[in-house]
Amino acid sequence: MARRYDSRTTIFSPEGRLYQVEYAMEAISHAGTALGILADDGIVLAAEKKVTSKLLEQSASAEKVYVLNDTMACAVAGITADANTLITYARQQAQQYLYTYSEEIPAELLVQRMCDLKQGYTQYGGLRPFGVSFLYAGWDSHFGFQLYHSDPSGNYSGWKATCIGANSSNAQSILKQDYKETGITLANAKSLAVKVLAKTMDSTTLGSDKLEFATVSKGNDGKIAFHLFSAEEIDQLLKDENVAQFQEEDS
């Protein structure tokens, strides 16, 4: 029955489903894990890099975590080419708002504009949905630090901690169990992120070649600072958190 209705994003099935949108979400479930954790003093973004070959040149730039403007960053799971297009659009929207109003765009407004574009790709013929989900980490003067998730349908929601990509259900269970509503610091959030990735990633060993880490926090000067961890910093973080212990417990 589904085959009669899954060739167009604009055709509903008799059950009221849009199969192409569901297929796009299914593609994301096979992508590398990405998670975000909201702390009192910042946000942690962590993501799994899929290393397809040892011969692949490891680029210095990130492939899962991106800066959108001076107060926002995002992590992606899904088709990277689709993500690049949407990230370019988000950066343009942020700069247009800054140019017009001389202040940074509110976090939720930028997420809304991204989702408006994604929703359009589920409604018009000849288009396919973007096969990528985003985790947005941002700050604004209205609501402080915020963490949002959006999917190919154009829906978005605010979270305290969440995960997208492969093994996201297992990661969500650990986050639900270990996340504390109050008093969680950026250091606590980094520890929790390492624990979740160590227990849910398919890889037997974790290292800087398979992970990306970033934080959005306030610097000593009061300005929002985005920090992308270097390979050395990631290895040191994994060593400090005793990752081997988590993996032994899981096995």
Side-chain angles (χ1 to χ4, degrees):
M1 176 65 80
R3 293 296 173 210
R4 295 172 57 188
Y5 303 97
D6 67 353
S7 62
R8 298 287 186 274
T9 58
T10 54
I11 299 177
F12 282 97
S13 74
E15 296 84 21
R17 298 165 65 179
L18 291 172
Y19 285 105
Q20 285 297 317
V21 177
E22 294 183 21
Y23 296 158
M25 294 181 183
E26 183 64 24
I28 292 161
S29 68
H30 300 295
T33 307
L35 64 87
I37 301 175
L38 181 66
D40 293 342
D41 53 346
I43 305 170
V44 171
L45 293 175
E48 171 192 6
K49 288 195 293 187
K50 291 285 189 180
V51 181
T52 56
S53 171
K54 290 182 179 180
L55 300 176
L56 184 65
E57 178 69 34
Q58 298 298 315
S59 62
S61 60
E63 63 180 64
K64 299 281 285 184
V65 181
Y66 300 86
V67 176
L68 299 179
N69 65 355
D70 288 343
T71 59
M72 286 192 71
C74 69
V76 303
I79 302 173
T80 306
D82 285 6
N84 289 336
T85 300
L86 289 169
I87 287 164
T88 300
Y89 175 78
R91 288 170 174 170
Q92 290 172 344
Q93 290 295 311
Q95 293 307 308
Q96 285 177 4
Y97 188 96
L98 178 62
Y99 179 78
T100 304
Y101 300 106
S102 299
E103 65 178 40
E104 296 291 352
I105 188 170
E108 187 172 3
L109 180 58
L110 183 57
V111 176
Q112 284 178 346
R113 291 188 178 182
M114 285 273 281
C115 289
D116 287 344
L117 176 66
K118 291 204 281 187
Q119 189 276 334
Y121 275 69
T122 70
Q123 193 170 4
Y124 300 106
L127 305 174
R128 69 159 176 83
F130 290 99
V132 63
S133 278
F134 284 83
L135 293 179
Y136 309 87
W139 179 93
D140 60 45
S141 57
H142 305 285
F143 299 107
F145 289 106
Q146 299 154 70
L147 177 66
Y148 294 96
H149 163 241
S150 72
D151 60 37
S153 69
N155 286 326
Y156 76 92
S157 50
W159 292 82
K160 295 172 183 174
T162 190
C163 180
I164 55 177
N167 302 317
S168 59
S169 57
N170 294 337
Q172 291 275 24
S173 299
I174 299 173
L175 288 171
K176 199 177 296 184
Q177 179 180 344
D178 292 354
Y179 182 82
K180 296 178 181 177
E181 294 279 341
T182 57
I184 183 170
T185 64
L186 203 59
N188 299 143
K190 286 189 284 187
S191 298
L192 180 56
V194 169
K195 178 180 179 181
V196 171
L197 290 173
K199 285 179 171 288
T200 58
M201 278 176 57
D202 296 329
S203 177
T204 54
T205 58
L206 293 186
S208 58
D209 60 326
K210 299 174 184 175
L211 291 176
E212 286 184 19
F213 253 83
T215 58
V216 177
S217 59
K218 275 195 174 181
N220 296 328
D221 56 359
K223 294 182 179 179
I224 300 303
F226 171 80
H227 176 60
L228 182 65
F229 283 42
S230 65
E232 293 76 17
E233 288 175 311
I234 293 175
D235 287 331
Q236 186 60 47
L237 178 63
L238 297 176
K239 182 179 178 182
D240 294 341
E241 298 299 332
N242 196 7
V243 170
Q245 176 187 352
F246 295 133
Q247 292 181 318
E248 287 173 6
E249 290 174 0
D250 196 42
S251 59

